[in-house]
Amino acid sequence: MWEKVKDITRGHSLWMLYYCTGCGAIELPPTMTSRFDMERFGIGPMATPRQADILLVTGYLSTKTLRRVIYTYEQMQSPKWLVGFGSCTLNGGIYHDSYATINQLDQYLPVDLYLAGCMPRPEVIIKGFKQLMEMIKTGEADGWKQYQDNREWYRENQKKALGDLLYTTR
Amino acid sequence: MSTLIFIGLAASLLIYAAARLSRPLGALLLMLLSGAGVAALILSWGKGFTETLPLGNGLELTFSLSTFNWPFLLLGAFVLFIVSLFAVNALKEMEQGASFLALLTLIGVSVLGVFGAYDFLTLFIFFELMTWTSFFLVSMGKTGAKKAALIYAFMSMIAAYLMISAIMMIAKYTGSFSYSDFMGMYEAMPSGIRTTVIIFFLAAALIKGGIYPVHFWLRSAHGDAPHVFSPVLSGLLVKYGYYSAYLFLLFFPVMVATKAGITQVTSTNGPNFILAFIGGLSIMAGTVAAILQSDAKKLVAFSSVSHGGYVILALAYGTNMAVACGLAHIWVHVLTALGMFLSMAAVAYRTGTTDMDEMGGLIKNMPVTFTVYLIAIISVAGIPPLAGFVSKWMIIQALAANGSYILAFMAFFGSIGSFMYVFRPLATIFLGQRPHKFKDVKEVPFFMQLSMLVVTLLTILLGIMPYYLLKPFTRIQEFIGMEPVRIGFSTVYSALTQLDMMLVFLVFGGGFLLALFIFLLFAKPTKVEQHEVYTSGEIAPEISTTPEIYHFSKGYYRSFGRLFSRWPSVEAWYHKGASYISQFFEIIEQSLFKQSINGFIWLAVLVMAVLMAVRWF
Amino acid sequence: MALIGKIVLFIVGAFVFQVALSGFSRKVIARIQKRRGPVFWQNFYDIGKLFFKKTSISHGFIFDFGVWMAFGGTVATLLFVPVGPYSVFPGQTNFIVIIYLLAIGSLGMAMSAVGSANPYASMGISRALTQMFGYDVPFALTVVIMIYVHRTSQVAKLAAVQSDIGWHLWVMPLSALVAFIALMAMLGKKPFDTPIAPAEIASGPLVEYSGKYLGMLMVQHEFATFVEVGLFVNLFLGGGSTLLIYLVKYIIVYLLTVIISALMARFRVEQTVAFFWKWPLVLVFIQALIIIGIGIR
């Protein structure tokens, strides 16, 4: 029962790392400002991964950016959630045949929620976040646990994409 | 007392010999000697004596131990005890360690004479002994030490000339050198002579105490002197300045005044307010200069300038609360200066440098030194429940009770500004990323830690129980006839209110325990390595560098420094004045002192002519 | 036992009140910006979430120790501030003690932040200390004037004496203005929020805090706000003869700072210090001249 209280608390207060990975980041300012006001759900931007709960991967991921995203994800503290934003994280989007980007984020980091679209409008973002909040409150969103349990598999994929020289933090 | 002085003189030779054999042995001997001094002084609390030592030709030296100089003598013995304990290990690499210890013993002897003097001749003789021994000690330091020693000797010489002129004036008027004769004739002296005497002695006190317009020798003397000597310089020699200010501002006038029946002494009269204002200027200048320094010892040197300003301001202010606070602050400053300088010396002992831009992250290697430094700076910043808070509280109450808002502004300026400069060595030396070259630095040896920990313990205890800090000074106030401040065991009183230090300590302890309890209630944290910080996704080895570039120490207060970039500096004026004077004398030099045979013959003829003129006319 | 009960009531009451109020202030800011804003108990959710984090990072002993010192110092300060007609230790509400105990909170957080070995944290702390130098000097001077005039440095007495002579807000208007601006700097509100500066230095000192550390620092910030706004209310608005009046005055002062800060941008840190040493200091000296020098009450 105490876990239920904790999950509800976590669901109502989500701090997002405003990490502008790709072109999808342009949709975040409208969502946070006056018209679509994300703060009324308790979601707010935070400056560093140590303080944030949600990592928002907003767009295509080149291998260069993927390396930094992995480091950032590992610097966040559990429980944490990853939201894949835009079609590029889902299946590569319009860059699906590029040599420099990755196609499926799910292979490298555990994703809790995808928001498809190129790019998704603020209404979609808000609907997606509401769904994430529901998942958190019922305890379904456990990507971070999966990352810890299947660390080796994720490592393999990461090394395949980025090469062997991969420093890890946590 | 004179036997003690002879013992001390003999002991210095003995210690020199012992230190040539083995440095720790010499230091231990000095420590035993000064420890015995401390014990003897504590045991003779409340007793007093006077003795004379005839010198022949009608002159004699008078020594005295009494309520009015007991705290200062104890201070001298205590500082020597701590420093010699520290020096058991710290002199290992110094070239002239044996002479260092011998000269330190001589400083102890001179301190006995200066603080224990009961006439001006004794005062001056031992002042000169103090000056030239410390001159040699300062010059034993790094490469710039010779020049620093010269500046120090020059300023001390100016102070000595001022003093000897004043002493001769006194002797000519009263016919003897003794304090009691001076006090007896004090009222009867023509006010012109009396004012000149007081001004000369106070000017000498300002020079020796390192107060604002004449403070610049303190910076180079600390910056380049041997690290073990700085605690003695700032904890002891500078106190001579405060002692003579105390004598001439407080002891003589008030003792005379109360004998004449005047009981309330405050300073709303002009000259004392000017002196208090100079003290206030010193507080402000010392604080600002300390903030802009990047060498740890020079920073603490300017902190000494600032605290000297506090003492002069409090002593010149004159109300009984302010006077008690000024005297207590001398002791508080000794404790904090010892804490800061000893920890800086410990760091320099292990790393070989005091430049704050080069160090970092040493807390993992030297936790004891860190704790000593932390307690010292908490006391400097005036945070309860330590000793520094007691003196800060008293001075603010004293100034607020009389409505001196300008002086209160200066006192607050120094107090709040001290946060900035004391925090900087903490952040740049002990915390932050550790450079690779200091990875194997070890903690300092046992005796050095012991001496530092004694100082820390005293700082804490005297803060929680200010009775022991203030009692000697209230007794001085009773002795000279001033109304003493009221003190309780752990309570401090003022005209406006009272404060229980034990309660503050207990409440803070309770809050700390509550924080600990809440902290331990939730999930256990994971420890990470020092280099694992948020660096915007970059990892240091990947960008071909080491984590130590993440250490922020250079230009720590550069934004603050921009505010003062075009302010005048007293030192620049002195340099300009010195260059004008040397330009003027170059003319004489060129015409008379050419380095050639002709020049020398010319000079010899001139001297002979003068001698013959004097002999025959 | 009654003392322990009083202490617990004080701390819990201050916590609940201030956290609810700061949540409400988020709604006020949102309305100014023409949006809806979160519910007013949002900050309770935030603090709870931070404490319920399953992992957190510690950078060594001094990192933890500083957080305990900051929290402990602020809670200790809290117990010395009079709230309305009540105070936990009657007769011990000395202003100088409060100011310097608050400094323990800052020192603890500064030590812990720099101990995390992140350069952003060091930069934030150097800015915070520089700014503190700027605002604390005029503020302390305003209170020195008051101490001299009323011959007491107990905050409770300074609050009580205003029921006779009228609020210090009207009697010493220049001091009140300076103290209000200094209050905004103490709370770290715009335009004086250089130490935090989220976009410039990645939230400054808070950069390495996570989980329960950040929760404890948030609570410490709320307690510090309670102390500082409480000081202003006691010293310039006459405290409160009943608890309700005190809380109403507190809410008005706090919301005023929030509204002003929602409309302003951020100063650079040397601009802050230069500002505080120019006009506020001159105003305080003029006020001191009027009250002490000339003797007008």
Side-chain angles (χ1 to χ4, degrees), chain A residues 1 10 45 65 69 83 87 96 102 109 120 131 137 161 164 169:
Chain A
M1 181 234 123
R10 288 181 192 134
T65 330
V69 168
V83 174
S87 307
H96 68 98
I102 56 156
L109 291 172
Q131 188 177 349
K137 282 188 225 172
D164 273 332
T169 50

Side-chain angles (χ1 to χ4, degrees), chain B residues 102-227:
Chain B
L103 285 171
L104 213 55
T105 324
L106 283 178
I107 284 196
V109 167
S110 64
V111 156
L112 268 184
V114 163
F115 290 146
Y118 206 66
D119 73 287
F120 289 106
L121 192 63
T122 322
L123 183 73
F124 189 71
I125 290 180
F126 283 95
F127 169 76
E128 284 293 309
L129 179 67
M130 202 166 76
T131 304
W132 67 257
T133 46
S134 49
F135 167 68
F136 281 120
L137 282 171
V138 169
S139 70
M140 282 185 194
K142 306 189 291 208
T143 41
K146 313 270 189 304
K147 185 156 172 232
L150 274 179
I151 298 180
Y152 171 65
F154 183 68
M155 297 303 288
S156 298
M157 229 166 59
I158 298 182
Y161 283 143
L162 285 169
M163 278 172 63
I164 196 71
S165 328
I167 292 176
M168 286 305 165
M169 274 197 265
I170 293 177
K172 181 161 159 240
Y173 194 79
T174 62
S176 91
F177 292 110
S178 152
Y179 284 1
S180 36
D181 288 342
F182 177 59
M183 285 194 280
M185 305 276 241
Y186 192 83
E187 286 294 309
M189 262 186 176
S191 75
I193 294 189
R194 189 169 66 222
T195 317
T196 319
V197 163
I198 293 181
I199 288 184
F200 275 8
F201 258 104
L202 283 176
L206 289 183
I207 292 178
K208 277 304 275 186
I211 310 297
Y212 173 55
V214 285
H215 64 291
F216 52 91
W217 62 267
L218 199 58
R219 183 200 64 202
S220 43
H222 273 133
D224 295 323
H227 302 305

Side-chain angles (χ1 to χ4, degrees), chain A residues 15 46 50-51, chain B residues 515 518-519 522, chain C residues 15 19 43-53 55-56 63 67 70-71 109 206 208-223:
Chain A
W15 284 352
M46 265 296 146
R50 297 256 189 242
Q51 305 161 350
Chain B
I518 294 182
F519 184 81
F522 295 101
Chain C
F15 173 73
V19 174
N43 273 0
F44 288 107
Y45 279 137
D46 287 340
I47 293 178
K49 172 207 71 174
L50 286 172
F51 276 119
F52 294 145
K53 277 275 202 194
T55 60
S56 49
F63 190 72
V67 172
F71 193 85
M109 196 176 97
L206 300 177
E208 285 291 326
Y209 291 108
S210 51
K212 62 181 175 179
Y213 294 93
L214 196 55
M216 282 182 81
L217 282 183
M218 255 184 93
V219 178
Q220 184 256 343
H221 181 70
E222 303 294 349
F223 280 146

Side-chain angles (χ1 to χ4, degrees), chain B residues 401 405 415 497 523 526 534, chain C residues 56 58 100 151 154 208 212 289:
Chain B
Y405 53 92
S415 165
T497 180
T526 31
Y534 166 66
Chain C
S56 49
S58 158
Y100 281 110
R151 301 245 159 264
Q154 301 280 353
E208 285 291 326
K212 62 181 175 179
L289 205 61

Side-chain angles (χ1 to χ4, degrees), chain C residues 270-293:
Chain C
E270 67 259 27
Q271 288 174 338
T272 313
V273 174
F275 166 70
F276 271 110
W277 285 356
K278 207 165 66 162
W279 285 115
L281 204 57
V282 166
L283 285 179
V284 174
F285 275 127
I286 294 178
Q287 180 78 67
L289 205 61
I290 295 177
I291 298 230
I292 299 183

Side-chain angles (χ1 to χ4, degrees), chain B residues 206-483:
Chain B
L206 289 183
I207 292 178
K208 277 304 275 186
I211 310 297
Y212 173 55
V214 285
H215 64 291
F216 52 91
W217 62 267
L218 199 58
R219 183 200 64 202
S220 43
H222 273 133
D224 295 323
H227 302 305
V228 187
F229 179 64
S230 291
V232 176
L233 178 60
S234 176
L236 194 51
L237 301 179
V238 167
K239 300 300 176 282
Y240 166 74
Y242 308 156
Y243 179 70
S244 77
Y246 151 70
L247 280 182
F248 276 87
L249 282 175
L250 188 66
F251 183 60
F252 292 141
V254 179
M255 200 126 181
V256 170
T258 54
K259 283 205 168 66
I262 312 169
T263 48
Q264 178 72 305
V265 180
T266 58
S267 91
T268 42
N269 48 347
N272 269 355
F273 196 74
I274 295 181
L275 195 61
F277 198 73
I278 292 181
L281 277 182
S282 176
I283 298 178
M284 290 175 67
T287 309
V288 171
I291 294 175
L292 303 173
Q293 286 297 319
S294 67
D295 179 270
K297 285 178 62 186
K298 289 184 180 160
L299 188 145
V300 185
F302 277 113
S303 159
S304 287
V305 170
S306 171
H307 282 272
Y310 265 111
V311 173
I312 297 289
L313 185 142
L315 285 179
Y317 196 65
T319 67
N320 53 353
M321 176 67 112
V323 160
C325 160
L327 292 173
H329 196 70
I330 297 181
W331 254 98
V332 168
H333 175 56
V334 164
L335 287 174
T336 54
L338 277 181
M340 287 201 279
F341 271 120
L342 287 179
S343 49
M344 290 299 119
V347 167
Y349 178 72
R350 284 297 191 200
T351 62
T353 173
T354 54
D355 189 359
M356 293 191 284
D357 293 341
E358 291 177 27
M359 299 192 263
L362 290 178
I363 179 177
K364 297 176 204 53
N365 304 46
M366 309 173 84
V368 174
T369 315
F370 171 76
T371 312
V372 170
Y373 184 75
L374 181 65
I375 300 287
I377 70 170
I378 292 182
S379 180
V380 165
I383 294 182
L386 294 183
F389 174 70
V390 174
S391 66
K392 283 275 154 59
W393 189 84
M394 286 170 72
I395 189 68
I396 293 175
Q397 295 285 346
L399 289 172
N402 285 34
S404 310
Y405 53 92
I406 298 186
L407 291 177
F409 158 70
M410 291 177 171
F412 269 118
F413 190 94
S415 165
I416 295 170
S418 71
F419 267 113
M420 285 180 74
Y421 65 73
V422 292
F423 188 73
R424 183 169 175 177
L426 198 73
T428 54
I429 297 181
F430 291 108
L431 301 172
Q433 301 278 0
R434 189 175 56 197
H436 195 71
K437 59 183 172 183
F438 295 136
K439 197 164 62 107
D440 294 319
V441 163
K442 290 200 304 267
E443 181 60 88
V444 287
F446 170 70
F447 280 108
M448 292 165 86
Q449 288 184 36
L450 185 63
S451 60
M452 295 196 288
L453 285 175
V454 169
V455 173
T456 307
L457 196 63
L458 263 183
T459 317
I460 299 179
L461 282 179
L462 287 180
I464 306 177
M465 297 183 281
Y467 178 79
Y468 293 109
L469 177 66
L470 293 173
K471 187 83 176 98
F473 304 110
T474 51
R475 287 198 68 216
I476 292 184
Q477 286 185 306
E478 286 165 359
F479 183 77
I480 61 179
M482 210 184 211
E483 187 194 323

